[in-house]
Amino acid sequence: EGGPWGWAYRFVPYIPAYDIMGGFGGNSVGESGNASNPVAVLNRDADDFNDNWRIFGNTFAEIQPIRNLVFRSSFGIDFFNGLNEDYAYRTYENSENRSITAFGTNNNSNLTWTWTNTASWQTTFGDMHDFKVLAGTEAISFSGRGLGVATNTFDFDDPQFINLNTDQFATPNAYSNIPIQERLFSLFGRVDYIFNNKYIFN
């Protein structure tokens, strides 16, 4: 909703992208709503930075010690790390303007792993009875942490002069999320019986 595509739907169509002085056109006069100029949003977001990367995958091993009995173990991970910088420049053309320029940066990472173990046994008695038994365990672990710093009120609206040391405050506002730890362990099982290839009970 707050991106350029969303503003393009909401922005009044008779307002131009640029005014006659070369600045951004806006709804600061008249009753033109409070949507932002999508061209202005694109220009002001051009200096934002996002660097996200992710690694995920799964591996498994399976053995059959005796006929009809199968043991399977699988392990998967999902690791994410993200770094972003956000510039929020002051505006002048809107009915609701931002009066100060703000800057924020944060880094977040999390790791999830899943370990699943199963044993399955399947057999047939005669032509009428089919049995299948499955038992297993699964463990899931999630951990994440992040750190962010934000500040505002700069003398220049130029990204080359905007960083955490050039604002008008002695100490930027630091925020961080509390390290998150989540654990889950489960036991599960299933029994299937098929009679005469027609009736199924599980």
Side-chain angles (χ1 to χ4, degrees):
E1 181 181 356
W5 285 104
W7 292 128
Y9 278 102
R10 295 177 54 190
F11 200 57
V12 178
Y14 59 74
I15 298 177
Y18 298 94
D19 61 24
I20 59 175
M21 300 300 293
F24 294 118
N27 49 26
S28 57
V29 295
E31 297 184 8
S32 305
N34 64 349
S36 297
N37 182 335
V39 176
V41 173
L42 279 172
N43 276 268
R44 292 183 175 123
D45 287 349
D47 299 315
D48 290 352
F49 172 80
N50 288 282
D51 183 13
N52 301 321
W53 60 277
R54 188 175 183 181
I55 298 174
F56 58 93
N58 181 276
T59 184
F60 73 92
E62 193 172 272
I63 61 172
Q64 187 175 10
I66 60 174
R67 185 181 178 183
N68 298 332
L69 178 63
V70 177
F71 292 104
R72 179 186 173 98
S73 181
S74 67
F75 186 80
I77 64 168
D78 185 350
F79 178 77
F80 169 83
N81 187 78
L83 172 67
N84 66 73
E85 296 178 350
D86 179 66
Y87 297 84
Y89 296 106
R90 71 191 82 191
T91 61
Y92 56 83
E93 73 278 3
N94 299 319
S95 59
E96 299 174 358
N97 285 301
R98 171 183 287 274
S99 60
I100 58 176
T101 293
F103 170 74
T105 180
N106 65 74
N107 177 246
N108 295 283
S109 64
N110 57 66
L111 171 66
T112 302
W113 59 258
T114 304
W115 186 24
T116 308
N117 299 280
T118 60
S120 61
W121 176 74
Q122 185 173 6
T123 190
T124 301
F125 297 101
D127 298 328
M128 307 283 286
H129 310 281
D130 293 303
F131 286 96
K132 184 176 181 180
V133 179
L134 173 73
T137 68
E138 184 168 75
I140 300 174
S141 171
F142 171 84
S143 60
R145 65 177 61 245
L147 176 65
V149 182
T151 189
N152 54 54
T153 312
F154 296 90
D155 293 323
F156 304 100
D157 285 356
D158 187 327
Q160 298 186 41
F161 295 95
I162 296 177
N163 58 60
L164 298 176
N165 296 317
T166 59
D167 65 324
Q168 296 182 16
F169 295 99
T171 304
N173 177 36
Y175 59 93
S176 64
N177 63 337
I178 299 174
I180 301 172
Q181 298 283 337
E182 296 178 358
R183 300 286 187 270
L184 176 67
F185 180 78
S186 60
L187 301 171
F188 56 91
R190 175 172 175 162
V191 177
D192 293 303
Y193 168 61
I194 303 174
F195 175 71
N196 198 27
N197 285 325
K198 185 175 182 180
Y199 301 101
I200 301 175
F201 303 91
N202 64 57

